[in-house]
Amino acid sequence: MTIRLETPADYREVENLTREAFWNVYRPGCTEHYVLNRYRKSPDFIPELDFVMEEDGQLIGHVMFSKAELMLDDGTRKPSWTFGPISIHPDYKRKGYGLKLLRYALERARKMGVGFLCMEGNIDFYKHAGFGLASRLGIHYHDMPRDKEVPFFLAQELIPGWLKANGISEATYCPPKGYFVADENPEAFEAYEATFPPKQKLRLPGQLGYEE
Ligand SMILES: CC(C)(COP(=O)(O)OP(=O)(O)OC[C@H]1O[C@@H](n2cnc3c(N)ncnc32)[C@H](O)[C@@H]1OP(=O)(O)O)[C@@H](O)C(=O)NCCC(=O)NCCS
C-alpha cells in the first residue's frame, strides 16, 4: 500500500472512486465527487494535503483538506482548516485503509502547521484518529443552537494548545463555500453527473433523514 499526492492524471479516477464510495451512503446517489471536482480550483484547496492511496495497482483511497474559518463572538474571523471528502473504495472498506490514510494525512498536516481541524463525520470512525466533539473545545456548529448537542460535529487540535495560542476560547465554524456547489448549481451538477456510468439512486436505512 502506498500513499502519495494526487496528480492531474488521477483526477477522473479519484472522482469516480469518490462517487463509488459515497453512492447511496448518506442520501440517494451522492454529490461529493462534484464537490471534489470543483474544489481543486478553489483558493481554499490545499494541494500539499491532497492524497491518494494505492493498493493492488489501483487507486483505493483519497482525502483532501481545505482552508476554513472560525468566527469569534465579536465577529472576528480566524483562519482554520477542515478536510473531506475522504473515500475508500467499497471493495476495501473496513480493512483499516481509511484510518491509515487519515492518520498519514493528519501527520503531514500537523507538520505543515495545521493546528486545528473541525469537520462533520461519524465519531465511531474519527475517534480512532483523535477526534472528539467540537463543543468540548468550545467550537460550535454554524446552523445549530449552541446548547444543542451536535454529535456529528467533530474537532481536534493537531498542535496542542493551538486554539488558546490563537486567542480562541469559543467560536463558530464557518464551512467553506466549496462544500455547497451541488446545492448552489444543481443543473451544473446534473450535467457533470451525466458524464459517469448510470447508477441507481436508492433511499436506504441509515441515510440522513431516512424514516421508516
Ligand atoms: C468512512 C471511510 C473513509 C472509513 O474507511 P474504512 O477503511 O472503511 O475504515 P477503517 O477500516 O479504517 O475503520 C477503522 C475503524 O473505524 C470504525 N468505522 C469505520 N467505518 C465506520 C462506519 N461506517 N460506521 C461505524 N464505525 C466505523 C470502526 O471502528 C473501524 O474498525 P472495525 O472495522 O475493526 O470495526 C470509508 O468507509 C468510506 O469511504 N465510506 C464512504 C464515504 C464516507 O462516509 N466518508 C466519510 C464521510 S465523513
Side-chain angles (χ1 to χ4, degrees), residues 147-173:
D147 55 357
K148 200 166 155 63
E149 180 88 7
V150 188
F152 58 84
F153 184 46
L154 312 177
Q156 171 174 191
E157 278 190 317
L158 289 186
I159 299 172
W162 185 90
L163 287 168
K164 194 170 175 208
N166 284 276
I168 304 168
S169 58
E170 207 165 29
T172 302
Y173 171 57

Side-chain angles (χ1 to χ4, degrees), residues 21-22 26 86 88 93-96 98-99 124-126 128:
F22 277 87
Y26 297 102
I86 176 169
I88 294 295
K93 276 182 192 172
R94 300 301 285 262
K95 295 176 196 290
L99 207 47
D124 291 337
F125 172 61
Y126 291 103
H128 298 295

Side-chain angles (χ1 to χ4, degrees), residues 75-86:
T76 312
R77 286 174 175 253
K78 297 268 188 179
S80 180
W81 299 268
T82 186
F83 70 93
I86 176 169

